[in-house]
Amino acid sequence: MAQMKIGGYLFQRIKELGIKTVFGVPGDYELVLLDMVLDAGVKWGGNPNELIASYAADGYARVNGYGAFVTTFGPGELSAYCGMGGQYAEYVPVAHIVGYPSTTAMKERAIMHHTLGNGNFSMYHEMVRNITVASTILDDPTMAAFEIDRVLNAMVYFSRPVYIGVPVDIGPQTISSVNLETPLQMSLPPNPTELENIVVDKITSLFSSRKNPIIIVDGGAVRNGVIQESSELIKLLQIPYFVTAMSKGGISEALGCFGGVYGGGASTDDVRRAVEGSDLVLFIGSYQSDFNTGEFTTQISPRVIVDFQRFTVNVFGKEYKLNMKYVLHRLTSVLQIAANKLLVKAQITWDPYPMDQLKIPEKLTQDFLWAALGRYFRSGDYVVAETGTSAFGILASNLMNTENVHMYNQTIYGSIGFATGAALGSFVAGKERNTIKRGVLVTGEGSLQLTVQAFSDMLRYGLNTTMFLLNNDGYTVERLIHGMEASYNKVPYWDYSKICELFGPSVKNKYYRIETAEELLKLLSDSEFNAAHCTQVVELILNKHDAPMSVIRTAQAVERFNEEKQSR
């Protein structure tokens, strides 16, 4: 019976998930384990720090399906927990592998480095239980293969992060490889046929009595892998469909009858009327967070909503334990057969992107910027937008005329600095899969300053990232909420033209400083710039009092929400 090292078994399972690059930072408790990464045929993607490693694994998983990163016990893993919090909140399946002290040291409660000096080795594991769906410390070689499989299967099933601790003396021990003959469970179990048929028939019958049905594809649809099913349903029904802040760029806007971006009070008036006036809303993967709903200003009656979630389907308030992926597939099949009798054809009578009609201003403005970027994006682009101004502003970028533009932001967790690290991982995965032609990062200077070290990896990996950097002298969203002129909403002054020179002095790069709308239009129409044959940094100089209309609407809603809470 073939034998293999426990660490080798772990990374073989990681490879089985389709993960070709593992991110992380080397540390003494994990060094022996890292030797086994390359032995398993997986690349090591070392990073400047553990926070960037966790963000990179997040971005990698959003493109590749799954991600993994390795840190050392204690300070290394604690530095990464912020990234894991975002993975948990936004259903991103990532395996965090942690190099632990030896089992002997832990049993003897020795005072080891990276501990709290009290002989307790379980405190970090206890902390991480709140941001994982499964975790283990491999302190028993006889159970190592079972535990690895249990935890990774949970990651796949729930689409959330997991944690695997590997003591320094356990990784090199050998075990049987027989468990590898049984593959990981890569798909969800099928629904009960009878219940699925009942629910699908119930939903299908609604189309005979509802006059203006719509579809909203929310972030849960993207994160739970039902974009293909959602797209097929939209193309069949040809009724108005909408996206949200969390799902923007997750589904094509060129499927016909695209209605715009819905976010309650953050929406345009036309979009809000169309959505909230519907008598049947197929809400696929709804995620009712504050920023995703315009600070809870959505007004859709539960009596018209069919809510599709990973493990449940809720029809007008009655919940059924069904996986939405299979329900959507079955629903499309049934509606295809009944198409002539049940389907309601609808026309879009409003402009999903009224900002496209803006006149060219003298100075560069936020609203003009986002409309212009919509015309710049093209097939094969992968766009990562930072928390704050970028995530809200990008909602106004028109993707209706271009297929295969993908983008995401961290709508729920909202950790600033996330986008730069996540873009690194996304673009590495896209390069491996040959699915990304241009990697585009859109961020603000306040966020960039947290994780700018990720640029060293972008440059050395030859990712040819194009970064649009919003320079408006500080934190825009925070200023709009409170403290417009306050010193705490400013950031240190940096010379952004030197970023590439600092982090990759031998790598070809270009820098552009844009202050006017005309300069931006000229750059975006330049063929060499569009080709993106090297890393490009575009610094956009904006007025600190200026913000996208969606940000202004949302910030006003946030301020009202906070005032109401304080008055209670």
Side-chain angles (χ1 to χ4, degrees):
M1 188 176 293
Q3 298 285 302
M4 66 188 311
K5 294 177 181 178
I6 290 173
Y9 183 96
L10 170 59
F11 288 113
Q12 282 295 334
R13 284 303 203 193
I14 292 296
K15 184 179 180 181
E16 183 182 329
L17 291 166
I19 299 171
K20 296 182 179 180
T21 297
V22 172
F23 299 96
V25 178
D28 54 351
Y29 291 136
E30 62 178 284
L31 293 177
V32 174
L33 190 63
L34 295 187
D35 288 335
M36 304 175 204
V37 174
L38 295 179
D39 291 343
V42 179
K43 296 178 184 177
W44 169 248
N47 305 110
N49 61 55
E50 292 85 357
L51 178 61
I52 288 175
S54 62
Y55 286 159
D58 181 308
Y60 187 94
R62 290 177 189 251
V63 174
N64 184 67
Y66 305 97
F69 69 106
V70 186
T71 71
T72 197
F73 175 82
E77 60 179 302
L78 286 174
S79 296
Y81 283 1
C82 182
M84 293 184 70
Q87 294 157 15
Y88 186 87
E90 304 213 347
Y91 294 88
V92 184
V94 172
H96 182 188
I97 301 164
V98 181
Y100 262 65
S102 70
T103 54
T104 301
M106 290 191 284
K107 288 176 182 177
E108 294 178 352
R109 297 179 61 84
I111 306 301
M112 301 292 292
H113 64 283
H114 293 345
T115 70
L116 299 181
N118 57 6
N120 183 2
F121 291 86
S122 65
M123 59 284 189
Y124 305 130
H125 186 206
E126 291 300 317
M127 292 179 189
V128 84
R129 291 183 189 275
N130 293 310
I131 51 175
T132 58
V133 292
S135 64
T136 187
I137 299 175
L138 304 179
D139 53 8
D140 180 357
T142 66
M143 293 296 292
F146 172 82
E147 281 294 286
I148 290 169
D149 291 356
R150 176 185 68 83
V151 170
L152 292 180
N153 277 325
M155 179 183 77
V156 173
Y157 184 80
F158 292 103
S159 189
R160 275 180 156 163
V162 295
Y163 175 101
I164 301 174
V166 187
V168 68
D169 59 331
I170 292 292
Q173 293 193 36
T174 58
I175 58 172
S176 169
S177 62
V178 67
N179 283 34
L180 289 177
E181 296 175 6
T182 302
L184 296 172
Q185 300 298 311
M186 300 293 286
S187 60
L188 296 175
N191 290 325
T193 302
E194 184 177 356
L195 180 60
E196 181 177 274
N197 287 340
I198 290 172
V199 172
V200 168
D201 289 345
K202 187 183 292 288
I203 298 170
T204 301
S205 67
L206 295 172
F207 285 92
S208 63
S209 59
R210 305 288 162 151
K211 296 181 179 179
N212 56 341
I214 66 165
I215 296 173
I216 303 177
V217 180
D218 207 341
V222 182
R223 296 302 332 129
N224 290 297
V226 294
I227 291 302
Q228 180 178 346
E229 291 78 6
S230 301
S231 299
E232 291 173 355
L233 185 62
I234 289 167
K235 286 186 286 188
L236 171 65
L237 292 175
Q238 284 297 294
I239 58 177
Y241 72 101
F242 301 80
V243 296
T244 66
M246 191 176 177
S247 64
K248 173 73 176 181
I251 189 168
S252 172
E253 297 179 5
L255 301 177
C257 287
F258 178 70
V261 183
Y262 177 67
S267 318
T268 65
D269 292 340
D270 286 337
V271 166
R272 192 169 189 183
R273 278 192 294 268
V275 171
E276 295 173 1
S278 171
D279 57 3
L280 176 60
V281 178
L282 303 186
F283 216 142
I284 305 176
S286 67
Y287 208 137
Q288 299 296 296
S289 74
D290 52 357
F291 282 174
N292 205 38
T293 62
E295 199 59 40
F296 308 116
T297 55
T298 55
Q299 296 182 31
I300 309 175
S301 170
R303 293 191 295 272
V304 303
I305 295 176
V306 179
D307 185 12
F308 299 85
Q309 296 294 335
R310 186 174 181 85
F311 298 120
T312 63
V313 176
N314 189 302
V315 182
F316 298 175
K318 185 173 182 179
E319 185 175 277
Y320 301 89
K321 301 295 184 182
L322 294 168
N323 177 277
M324 68 172 166
K325 189 176 186 72
Y326 303 123
V327 172
L328 287 168
H329 179 75
R330 175 68 178 159
L331 178 62
T332 302
S333 298
V334 171
L335 287 172
Q336 181 72 59
I337 297 172
N340 294 331
K341 297 179 181 179
L342 299 176
L343 303 190
V344 179
K345 302 296 181 181
Q347 298 293 325
I348 300 297
T349 58
W350 60 91
D351 184 355
Y353 293 108
M355 292 299 178
D356 279 4
Q357 311 306 318
L358 286 177
K359 294 181 179 179
I360 301 176
E362 180 179 351
K363 290 291 185 181
L364 184 62
T365 65
Q366 291 271 2
D367 285 331
F368 182 81
L369 164 65
W370 303 111
L373 286 181
R375 293 189 287 270
Y376 160 75
F377 296 137
R378 67 188 189 197
S379 180
D381 283 356
Y382 208 98
V383 185
V384 184
E386 182 57 84
T387 296
T389 307
S390 301
F392 284 105
I394 206 79
L395 302 180
S397 294
N398 186 346
L399 305 181
M400 295 176 64
N401 301 315
T402 308
E403 285 275 15
N404 196 31
V405 175
H406 298 282
M407 63 177 62
Y408 68 83
N409 63 80
Q410 199 185 54
T411 308
I412 308 302
Y413 195 63
S415 176
I416 65 171
F418 162 81
T420 305
L424 163 64
S426 292
F427 302 160
V428 167
K431 188 175 182 179
E432 290 175 350
R433 297 165 63 90
N434 196 30
T435 56
I436 295 178
K437 293 183 179 178
R438 298 190 307 187
V440 181
L441 167 64
V442 186
T443 187
E445 58 173 345
S447 298
L448 178 67
Q449 292 193 11
L450 271 75
T451 49
V452 69
Q453 305 98 312
F455 251 76
S456 61
D457 289 338
M458 290 186 186
L459 289 160
R460 68 172 172 151
Y461 294 147
L463 300 179
N464 293 347
T465 301
T466 296
M467 178 177 75
F468 291 96
L469 172 64
L470 280 62
N471 185 340
N472 36 14
D473 193 29
Y475 299 109
T476 301
V477 174
E478 286 76 8
R479 278 183 172 137
L480 290 171
I481 296 173
H482 183 77
M484 180 61 76
E485 304 297 337
S487 60
Y488 50 71
N489 280 328
K490 291 181 64 67
V491 296
Y493 173 78
W494 285 12
D495 185 347
Y496 296 105
S497 68
K498 300 296 193 297
I499 286 178
C500 293
E501 181 181 335
L502 173 65
F503 290 112
S506 63
V507 182
K508 182 181 178 182
N509 66 86
K510 292 186 177 181
Y511 166 81
Y512 306 89
R513 180 184 171 92
I514 302 297
E515 297 187 38
T516 69
E518 289 285 1
E519 289 173 347
L520 177 63
L521 292 176
K522 182 178 179 180
L523 178 65
L524 297 183
S525 64
D526 182 84
S527 59
E528 186 175 352
F529 176 76
N530 276 269
H533 290 313
C534 67
T535 299
Q536 303 178 122
V537 176
V538 182
E539 185 176 1
L540 303 163
I541 309 302
L542 295 154
N543 188 302
K544 72 176 184 178
H545 296 135
D546 186 26
M549 185 55 64
S550 58
V551 174
I552 294 172
R553 292 189 185 116
T554 302
Q556 290 171 344
V558 170
E559 189 166 24
R560 287 194 300 270
F561 181 79
N562 291 338
E563 288 175 351
E564 289 172 2
K565 287 191 67 175
Q566 292 172 6
S567 63
R568 291 174 187 171

